[in-house]
Amino acid sequence: MMKNNLNNLVNLQTNKLGNLGVKSIFLSALAIGFISCSNDDLEAPLLEDSSNLLSTNASANVIPLNESDFYTPPTTFAVTKNLVKDYGADKIFNTDDSQKLQTAIDDVSGKGGGKLIIPKGNYTVSDIKMKSNVHLIVNSGTVIRPSTRANNKNYAMFTFGKESATVKNVSVESANGQKFTVDLTKAKNTNVAVFNLNNVDNFLLTDFKVKDALTKFSAVTMGITEHNGKYIRPRNGVVKNANIINADYGYGLVQIQAAKNILFKNIKGTGGVTLRLETGWSFMNDLQIGGVHDMYGENISCTNGNAAVMVSPHAMHNGKVYVNGITANNCGFGVRIEAGFVSKKYSTPGLTNGTFSKVTINNVKATYGNKDAQLKPKHYKFMPCNLRSLIDDNPIVAGGDSYWGPSISAVLNTPNYNVILDESTVTGNGFKNGYVIQTEEDAISDADCN
């Protein structure tokens, strides 16, 4: 865990809590408490903020982020195994390698943990259950595809602690720091995530690129899971040096529904949202268990998508978020900071508009593009009137509700919670004057444009 205090941030401009002042913020009297005190559980009631973690570099308004505060790598390995030599994988797409890979992971974990080398080749896998103390070392020339499915149910290629005991001390990385490839373009069932993390503690995901095809989940997803009557979330990890290509508007590289103390570093997305801190899962909102706490990002970028970073609490009451270094080229936004709301999908009475205890954003650079951003009609009101004719009439996906169009702003800032935005570090290249940072007060209806 980080050792200092984020509350010392200075010389920043704090947005008043009144952008959506008609909505009052209070905690639901019906919120469900926690029943556990073990290390595998959520450590404290999530409606309390527990993340007084970091100090600032006051001269630059930037927090120094150290990977060692999020993930502790192994110092020794009991065994080193090779997926091809030791377990007979044949390195061609036509063979489903799931069982051989699962056997190898189980074996390495059972022997005390170690490295599992995946040599250069083509592999097809799904529903792989990662085990404690296993470190996958993937050759950067390797391509991995999801296995063919007999149905259209949701699935993941790799799961970490889904409805199981804690998976501890795990990693997936390349052998040389260069990215290996996950290819989703041939998936017949597009309801697929690459990495789904749940009850996992101390993890590293790095050195991968995802070739997407507008599939129906973000590549990396994190959320709560149930084990022995307790709800548990991912904690203590790093996701870095990764990118996705051709993601859908509603997804992207990473979506976090529930997690604690995670660092995202040097991640990129073409399409969708690169880092999506959106806690909208109906099951979780109805329980009021989960949410994100102590999220840290550095060097997050978007190209031809919706946004590099999105913060949207729905009806969850979350902790702190800090992101420094955001780049957007031809995206709808560099950053989307959305207000909480209670969706009609939620069934628990008494839910209130969700919040974050604090969101801190530094150093945003967005470049306008006139046709390659992914947009939804709900955001057209923040666009200059003379640009709205540039929006494509045809949805990106047939029957869908997102469209190609011009960039809207560097920052959309419409929260009902505390946001610290250093406006002096926000740059919008090519945007019309007044449209670099947009708030709810800046909205213009179509009727007002006529």
Side-chain angles (χ1 to χ4, degrees):
M1 297 286 292
M2 306 294 285
K3 298 180 178 64
N4 300 314
N5 194 335
L6 182 58
N7 292 328
N8 292 331
L9 280 169
V10 295
N11 298 327
L12 297 176
Q13 298 182 13
T14 303
N15 289 23
K16 61 184 180 180
L17 294 177
N19 282 341
L20 295 179
V22 296
K23 298 181 179 178
S24 62
I25 305 303
F26 56 92
L27 300 180
S28 170
L30 298 178
I32 299 175
F34 289 89
I35 60 176
S36 163
C37 59
S38 78
N39 289 333
D40 285 354
D41 298 327
L42 299 171
E43 296 87 340
L46 292 185
L47 296 185
E48 297 179 7
D49 182 73
S50 59
S51 57
N52 293 325
L53 298 176
L54 295 173
S55 68
T56 65
N57 178 344
S59 63
N61 298 327
V62 171
I63 296 171
L65 299 176
N66 301 311
E67 290 183 28
S68 59
D69 291 312
F70 300 90
Y71 170 70
T72 302
T75 56
T76 60
F77 300 93
V79 296
T80 297
K81 296 288 187 178
N82 186 294
L83 181 62
V84 173
K85 293 179 180 179
D86 295 316
Y87 301 96
D90 62 10
K91 301 193 293 186
I92 61 173
F93 286 132
N94 290 339
T95 303
D96 190 331
D97 302 294
S98 299
Q99 187 56 59
K100 290 178 179 178
L101 179 54
Q102 189 65 62
T103 297
I105 289 171
D106 295 348
D107 187 38
V108 171
S109 181
K111 286 181 165 60
K115 297 180 182 180
L116 177 58
I117 307 298
I118 300 180
K120 183 177 180 178
N122 300 322
Y123 302 92
T124 303
V125 302
S126 288
D127 297 319
I128 300 300
K129 296 176 176 61
M130 289 295 292
K131 299 294 180 67
S132 293
N133 304 308
V134 175
H135 302 273
L136 301 186
I137 309 298
V138 186
N139 185 284
S140 59
T142 289
V143 180
I144 304 175
R145 290 179 178 173
S147 305
T148 300
R149 305 278 295 183
N151 54 53
N152 285 321
K153 292 183 179 179
N154 302 339
Y155 68 108
M157 297 174 69
F158 296 87
T159 63
F160 296 68
K162 183 175 176 61
E163 298 177 350
S164 78
T166 303
V167 173
K168 299 180 179 180
N169 311 321
V170 290
S171 66
V172 181
E173 59 186 304
S174 78
N176 60 2
Q178 301 299 311
K179 298 181 182 72
F180 65 91
T181 301
V182 180
D183 182 5
L184 304 182
T185 63
K186 306 298 182 183
K188 294 183 179 180
N189 178 354
T190 59
N191 300 321
V192 58
V194 179
F195 301 110
N196 174 242
L197 292 86
N198 298 278
N199 184 10
V200 56
D201 187 1
N202 195 45
F203 63 88
L204 170 67
L205 301 177
T206 184
D207 309 333
F208 62 94
K209 56 185 176 183
V210 180
K211 295 173 64 177
D212 204 348
L214 303 175
T215 58
K216 302 303 180 186
F217 287 104
S218 296
V220 179
T221 61
M222 301 186 195
I224 59 172
T225 190
E226 188 274 336
H227 181 61
N228 288 341
K230 303 163 186 175
Y231 288 101
I232 309 160
R233 61 184 166 185
R235 59 266 184 210
N236 305 318
V238 174
V239 179
K240 68 173 185 174
N241 192 31
N243 68 284
I244 192 168
I245 301 168
N246 197 28
D248 190 29
Y249 169 98
Y251 306 101
L253 182 64
V254 176
Q255 178 164 5
I256 312 302
Q257 300 273 3
K260 182 176 176 65
N261 197 48
I262 314 295
L263 171 64
F264 304 93
K265 183 177 180 180
N266 300 334
I267 60 175
K268 303 177 181 181
T270 300
V273 176
T274 305
L275 178 57
R276 182 184 294 267
L277 303 174
E278 181 179 17
T279 53
W281 184 15
S282 295
F283 175 76
M284 188 177 71
N285 278 262
D286 282 327
L287 286 178
Q288 286 294 289
I289 294 175
V292 298
H293 289 243
D294 311 337
M295 298 288 104
Y296 298 91
E298 189 172 74
N299 297 333
I300 315 297
S301 69
C302 165
T303 301
N304 296 352
N306 181 249
V309 176
M310 174 185 174
V311 180
S312 179
H314 289 243
M316 295 300 299
H317 297 276
N318 303 282
K320 294 181 181 179
V321 171
Y322 169 90
V323 186
N324 176 57
I326 298 164
T327 304
N329 294 305
N330 304 326
C331 294
F333 309 92
V335 182
R336 276 174 58 192
I337 304 171
E338 302 278 4
F341 66 97
V342 179
S343 171
K344 295 179 181 179
K345 298 183 296 183
Y346 307 152
S347 59
T348 297
L351 295 178
T352 61
N353 296 331
T355 59
F356 286 83
S357 65
K358 184 182 289 185
V359 174
T360 303
I361 301 294
N362 289 317
N363 294 307
V364 181
K365 182 178 181 180
T367 300
Y368 171 82
N370 65 4
K371 63 177 183 178
D372 293 322
Q374 294 174 329
L375 310 173
K376 277 194 173 180
K378 65 181 180 180
H379 289 132
Y380 294 173
K381 64 185 179 180
F382 298 106
M383 185 185 299
C385 295
N386 66 321
L387 297 182
R388 298 182 190 186
S389 63
L390 299 178
I391 300 168
D392 196 324
D393 293 333
N394 300 306
I396 296 172
V397 177
D401 56 357
S402 60
Y403 300 82
W404 297 113
S407 302
I408 295 178
S409 63
V411 178
L412 178 65
N413 195 27
T414 60
N416 58 324
Y417 44 85
N418 186 20
V419 171
I420 298 175
L421 174 66
D422 188 349
E423 296 188 3
S424 70
T425 68
V426 178
T427 302
N429 296 320
F431 290 89
K432 182 179 178 180
N433 187 39
Y435 286 85
V436 174
I437 299 174
Q438 292 286 94
T439 68
E440 194 66 42
E441 287 79 7
D442 297 317
I444 302 174
S445 70
D446 285 338
D448 291 334
C449 285
N450 295 326

